[in-house]
Amino acid sequence: MIINERTFVMVKPDGVKRRLIGEVISRIEKAGLRIVAMKMLQLTRAMAEKHYAVHKGKPFYDGLIKFISSGPVVAMVVEGENAVKRMRKIAGATNPMDAEVGTIRGDFGMVIGRNIVHAADSPENAKIEYSIYFKETELVKHKMIDEEWIYE
Ligand code: IDP
Ligand code: MG
């Protein structure tokens, strides 16, 4: 059995600078999700504008583009059953003040503009987003040995 819903996750520059890459990866792994691609990179302005195209024109857009391209990020493609929804739950609400304790944003964030992690909000958007950073051939097709214990 291979369960392949894909999502796109990114440790934002604040998460990298605060040494939370491992924390984010650890939570993804422990949840039972499967990482199939990962890289560190610094976004160009063009990449950032593509990634956050839906927010163009909003008051926080310029600050968001500047911030997300201000330092290294870690981009990941993650798979699993309902991977999009599961990953959004692991990340927590957009504003850390509304995010539950136990979520990444709820445990480590203080303000909405520094919320450590990005997670796609639909499988369609996940594909649009990961295609900015990865070629299809860079996604590794594999299965974890514990999946028969993770899924029933
Ligand atoms: P999401 O990351 O939970 O999907 P979105 O609404 O898609 O949230 O917003 C994208 C990112 O833009 C958020 O993660 C947050 O960092 C930033 N952002 C959203 N709303 C605001 C705001 O009102 N002020 C400042 N930054 C914001
Ligand atoms: Mg979003």
Side-chain angles (χ1 to χ4, degrees):
M1 172 187 48
I2 287 233
I3 292 168
N4 272 335
E5 184 172 291
R6 276 183 186 156
T7 190
F8 176 71
V9 180
M10 182 183 274
V11 184
K12 297 183 181 182
D14 53 334
V16 173
K17 293 294 185 186
R18 292 179 56 200
R19 307 171 200 271
L20 293 172
I21 301 169
E23 184 70 42
V24 172
I25 292 172
S26 178
R27 287 169 183 234
I28 293 169
E29 288 190 308
K30 286 176 188 162
L33 291 161
R34 181 197 314 128
I35 298 168
V36 299
M38 176 159 54
K39 68 169 79 156
M40 179 182 269
L41 75 162
Q42 176 143 359
L43 270 58
T44 61
R45 196 182 163 91
M47 280 168 146
E49 285 177 353
K50 212 166 167 185
H51 181 115
Y52 281 127
V54 292
H55 296 302
K56 197 172 165 70
K58 294 186 185 165
F60 60 88
Y61 176 76
D62 287 338
L64 180 60
I65 295 299
K66 207 169 158 193
F67 173 66
I68 203 73
S69 55
S70 68
V73 300
V74 175
M76 280 175 263
V77 182
V78 172
E79 292 179 345
E81 188 167 287
N82 296 313
V84 167
K85 196 171 168 194
R86 188 84 178 94
M87 197 55 228
R88 294 279 291 186
K89 278 193 182 290
I90 293 166
T94 306
N95 189 335
M97 295 315 286
D98 300 325
E100 300 291 338
V101 167
T103 65
I104 294 168
R105 290 162 169 178
D107 287 350
F108 303 111
M110 289 298 284
V111 298
I112 195 166
R114 300 288 184 273
N115 60 4
I116 302 125
V117 74
H118 166 81
D121 63 7
S122 70
E124 297 70 32
N125 285 337
K127 189 173 166 75
I128 292 169
E129 291 167 9
Y130 77 66
S131 300
I132 302 170
Y133 310 103
F134 298 98
K135 297 184 212 123
E136 207 64 39
T137 51
E138 288 180 286
L139 310 195
V140 182
K141 285 183 186 60
H142 70 111
K143 187 178 188 293
M144 308 298 282
I145 59 166
D146 59 3
E147 285 179 15
E148 63 177 298
W149 299 100
I150 302 274
Y151 296 110
E152 60 177 4

